[in-house]
Amino acid sequence: MSRGKRYDKEQKLNIKKVIAVIMAIAVIIMFVIGIKTLLTQEENNSPEKLTVANYYPVYTNEKWGVIDQTGKIIIEPTYDEMITIPSIKNDLFICVYDVDYTNNTYKTKVIDSKNKEKFTGYDLVEVIENKDSNNILWYEEVLRVKKDNKYGLIDYNGKEILPTQYDSIEALEGVKNSLIIKKEERVGLCDNQGNIIIEPEYKEIKAIGNDYKNGYVVVNSDNKYGLVDFTKQVILETKYEEVKPVVASNIYIVKEDGKLKAINKDLETLVENKFDDVKQLNSENIVFVKNKKYGIMNTEGEIKTKAEYDDIEYIFDNYYVAKKSGKYGIINVENETIVPFNYEKISYRKEADFIEVEKKDAEVTEILNNKFEKQLEGIITEVNAEKAYIRIRTNDEYKYYNFKFEEKDVKELLNTNTIFLSKKDGKYGYVDKDGKIVVDYIYEDAKEQNPYGYAAVKKDGKWGAIDKDGREVSECRYDLENNVIIDFIGKWHIGEDANSYYYTDM
């Protein structure tokens, strides 16, 4: 199936945009399966109560347009390039046109749901892309504009919040609300409201972790390092050979006179020349590296765990995930083994306060509580922090649990849904909140009703969709076996290519 110029791998401009969209779907997928779904509305999110439209790119007949959460076409599919939607809840669509692949140039225009052009006083209007360490991409909540070859910022209402006087404006990778501004070969930093945090006078600015509240490492033209916090306060003067991008409890790791050391806010040395590198600071302990091995010491330099592990990652309290001989386990700060080194992967779910452990070739994940006791096992398909539940697939059935690992009735958790998935004699159907059959048990696979009132159903190896009343709105004719996620809005399903977040009827 041809999907338009955006999918031509020899055209660099389009590939860049594909990558952006690739990351965008990853954001949505991550939220859907475990963090916080972008598809979820406020508390009253049943389909008949939606008051704010959500928008998505749509692809049909090799052209791009936009639909809303009901499946209604908002922008007719007439564009050769995928339309960028800065926020699914905002009535703004950025269209690319007049693409010149030879010179790698293009034009943009912004339209609303009435097809009215907006923000016309600029040469370009674009989203600002950002991504985390897992390459999950999001858009900063601001628009970059270009005029007379200089860049500035506007908000979603078109208000100028930073004048067009900068050579470039880019996201500080991995950190929200932090934008690198460049002027005359020097960089500074502003937030998404256009407030200048750091004047453009540095050679480089680096993030400390993934939270702007941790502050920023700055490097001057003499390659000296310092630290500035998000309130513009200089924490460390630019006089060090290096400042490590880790901080906790007003403790900093710096390099001075060729030696790495831990110092406090009064610049007093706490630990000096006892490590080759530092990975993490937490509370009173340091995860350090010595001879390419990881260990733990306190901020007085006392070794708590010798540097004998291939990796160590702090999780909570005095506990750490550690790697040894290719396997993962959990230790405490005193180097006592709490969970044996039998696992291929161990992850701590902070938002739900539980631990996932995976064994090699195992088809299910084990779930441990914060006392390291096994509670559940299965395939985790969603961790919903907002409603405090976990959804697990076990033996082709979905079960729901609260964060105390108590099994819950789906009707109680998804109390705005009108129909609920049910299984009988190996087939799926739907019941109402009273348990009355709404859709007979005729499907070989099916999904719960989504926030927009639609549910994906599978019959004879093909997928289709029903609405909130159980009526078929898309016949089961789509082969979606290669889809990472299967979801419908009316007749439209999420595209097969998991690298692009769009809906299609093809």
Side-chain angles (χ1 to χ4, degrees):
M1 178 181 75
S2 173
R3 292 181 181 165
K5 294 179 181 178
R6 182 171 299 277
Y7 291 89
D8 187 339
K9 295 182 179 180
E10 295 180 359
Q11 295 166 348
K12 295 181 180 179
L13 177 64
N14 284 339
I15 284 299
K16 179 180 178 181
K17 295 178 183 297
V18 165
I19 292 173
V21 182
I22 284 173
M23 302 306 180
I25 189 173
V27 175
I28 304 297
I29 293 172
M30 286 296 292
F31 284 3
V32 167
I33 66 174
I35 300 176
K36 182 181 180 182
T37 176
L38 284 179
L39 298 178
T40 303
Q41 303 295 320
E42 284 76 29
E43 284 188 2
N44 292 329
N45 68 342
S46 59
E48 64 273 16
K49 294 182 180 179
L50 291 177
T51 58
V52 178
N54 285 4
Y55 302 102
Y56 303 96
V58 68
Y59 180 75
T60 184
N61 297 323
E62 301 187 356
K63 296 291 182 180
W64 294 95
V66 175
I67 59 172
D68 68 11
Q69 82 280 356
T70 69
K72 177 185 176 182
I73 292 178
I74 302 300
I75 302 298
E76 288 292 332
T78 59
Y79 291 89
D80 293 328
E81 297 287 338
M82 181 182 283
I83 296 172
T84 302
I85 302 176
S87 168
I88 62 172
K89 294 183 180 180
N90 284 85
D91 187 14
L92 294 174
F93 316 115
I94 300 177
C95 307
V96 177
Y97 66 101
D98 284 356
V99 179
D100 184 338
Y101 300 110
T102 301
N103 297 311
N104 200 29
T105 61
Y106 57 96
K107 296 179 182 178
T108 65
K109 67 176 180 179
V110 182
I111 58 176
D112 63 16
S113 58
K114 308 291 186 185
N115 236 322
K116 180 182 177 181
E117 194 165 350
K118 304 172 71 71
F119 317 150
T120 56
Y122 301 100
D123 301 327
L124 284 178
V125 181
E126 300 174 302
V127 296
I128 299 178
E129 302 166 2
N130 204 339
K131 62 181 179 180
D132 64 15
S133 59
N134 295 315
N135 282 331
I136 305 302
L137 182 141
W138 70 87
Y139 297 145
E140 294 293 334
E141 296 179 1
V142 67
L143 297 175
R144 177 175 57 210
V145 293
K146 184 179 182 181
K147 186 176 182 180
D148 299 329
N149 213 32
K150 295 292 182 180
Y151 292 90
L153 298 175
I154 62 174
D155 64 19
Y156 288 161
N157 295 316
K159 179 184 176 181
E160 183 181 89
I161 58 176
L162 193 69
T164 51
Q165 62 183 32
Y166 297 93
D167 299 327
S168 67
I169 301 176
E170 303 289 344
L172 181 61
E173 187 170 310
V175 185
K176 293 183 177 180
N177 199 31
S178 300
L179 305 176
I180 298 292
I181 52 176
K182 187 174 184 179
K183 194 174 186 179
E184 298 177 355
E185 300 303 316
R186 289 290 179 262
V187 297
L189 191 130
C190 73
D191 63 18
N192 285 351
Q193 289 72 49
N195 301 311
I196 302 296
I197 307 300
I198 301 173
E199 292 290 343
E201 58 186 30
Y202 292 98
K203 177 182 177 181
E204 188 177 3
I205 297 176
K206 301 179 180 181
I208 299 177
N210 57 11
D211 189 341
Y212 70 90
K213 295 179 182 178
N214 292 333
Y216 312 92
V217 174
V218 295
V219 186
N220 67 16
S221 57
D222 296 323
N223 289 319
K224 294 296 184 180
Y225 288 67
L227 193 147
V228 178
D229 75 8
F230 74 101
T231 67
K232 307 182 183 181
Q233 181 180 358
V234 175
I235 306 301
L236 299 176
E237 295 181 12
T238 48
K239 66 177 186 177
Y240 297 97
E241 296 161 30
E242 188 175 5
V243 175
K244 289 290 181 181
V246 292
V247 62
S249 303
N250 294 317
I251 299 173
Y252 314 100
I253 306 298
V254 302
K255 189 175 186 179
E256 196 171 29
D257 298 326
K259 298 177 181 179
L260 274 177
K261 58 184 180 180
I263 62 174
N264 62 20
K265 63 179 181 178
D266 298 318
L267 308 185
E268 298 169 331
T269 297
L270 305 177
V271 184
E272 184 175 20
N273 208 31
K274 284 194 172 184
F275 37 70
D276 302 328
D277 202 353
V278 169
K279 178 180 179 179
Q280 285 180 304
L281 292 173
N282 62 281
S283 185
E284 299 177 353
N285 295 311
I286 302 170
V287 176
F288 71 96
V289 182
K290 189 74 173 178
N291 298 323
K292 299 182 180 181
K293 293 290 185 179
Y294 292 77
I296 305 168
M297 69 172 65
N298 64 22
T299 54
E300 296 177 354
E302 178 187 359
I303 302 295
K304 310 296 289 186
T305 297
K306 292 181 179 180
E308 59 186 13
Y309 294 95
D310 300 323
D311 195 12
I312 293 178
E313 181 84 20
Y314 174 72
I315 49 175
F316 62 87
D317 293 341
N318 287 318
Y319 300 107
Y320 300 77
V321 174
K323 184 180 182 182
K324 182 171 62 177
S325 301
K327 297 288 186 180
Y328 288 90
I330 294 177
I331 61 173
N332 63 17
V333 73
E334 302 295 339
N335 200 26
E336 299 171 326
T337 298
I338 307 301
V339 174
F341 289 79
N342 295 333
Y343 299 96
E344 295 296 308
K345 183 179 179 182
I346 297 180
S347 304
Y348 174 58
R349 293 271 197 166
K350 184 177 180 180
E351 73 274 25
D353 193 26
F354 69 79
I355 300 159
E356 294 178 58
V357 295
E358 299 178 15
K359 289 185 177 180
K360 185 177 181 180
D361 299 327
E363 295 183 358
V364 297
T365 295
E366 295 179 9
I367 298 176
L368 315 181
N369 63 16
N370 59 14
K371 296 180 180 179
F372 312 104
E373 301 163 332
K374 181 179 175 180
Q375 300 295 307
L376 304 169
E377 67 176 24
I379 300 172
I380 297 175
T381 60
E382 183 181 359
V383 178
N384 191 309
E386 182 181 3
K387 295 188 176 182
Y389 71 78
I390 311 164
R391 183 175 67 186
I392 297 179
R393 188 177 177 105
T394 305
N395 298 324
D396 293 328
E397 289 191 73
Y398 292 103
K399 293 186 177 182
Y400 292 78
Y401 299 86
N402 63 18
F403 289 170
K404 295 180 180 180
F405 308 106
E406 299 166 335
E407 188 169 358
K408 307 297 290 185
D409 189 333
V410 64
K411 300 181 189 68
E412 176 184 346
L413 296 172
L414 306 181
N415 54 18
T416 58
N417 280 20
T418 56
I419 56 176
F420 302 89
L421 187 63
S422 179
K423 189 177 183 181
K424 181 180 179 181
D425 299 329
K427 293 287 186 178
Y428 293 89
Y430 291 85
V431 299
D432 64 16
K433 63 181 180 179
D434 297 319
K436 181 181 177 181
I437 297 175
V438 178
V439 177
D440 205 2
Y441 297 89
I442 60 174
Y443 297 106
E444 58 212 51
D445 201 354
K447 308 292 183 181
E448 286 287 1
Q449 177 185 342
N450 67 26
Y452 302 143
Y454 301 102
V457 292
K458 185 180 182 183
K459 189 176 182 181
D460 299 328
K462 305 293 183 182
W463 286 91
I466 58 175
D467 67 11
K468 64 184 180 66
D469 298 315
R471 295 186 296 250
E472 182 182 276
V473 293
S474 176
E475 64 176 309
C476 295
R477 63 187 182 91
Y478 296 104
D479 182 0
L480 304 181
E481 295 307 304
N482 293 326
N483 282 44
V484 173
I485 56 175
I486 296 172
D487 194 44
F488 281 77
I489 293 180
K491 71 173 186 176
W492 311 97
H493 66 86
I494 287 182
E496 177 182 311
D497 187 355
N499 299 330
S500 299
Y501 185 53
Y502 66 95
Y503 284 84
T504 182
D505 62 351
M506 301 175 68

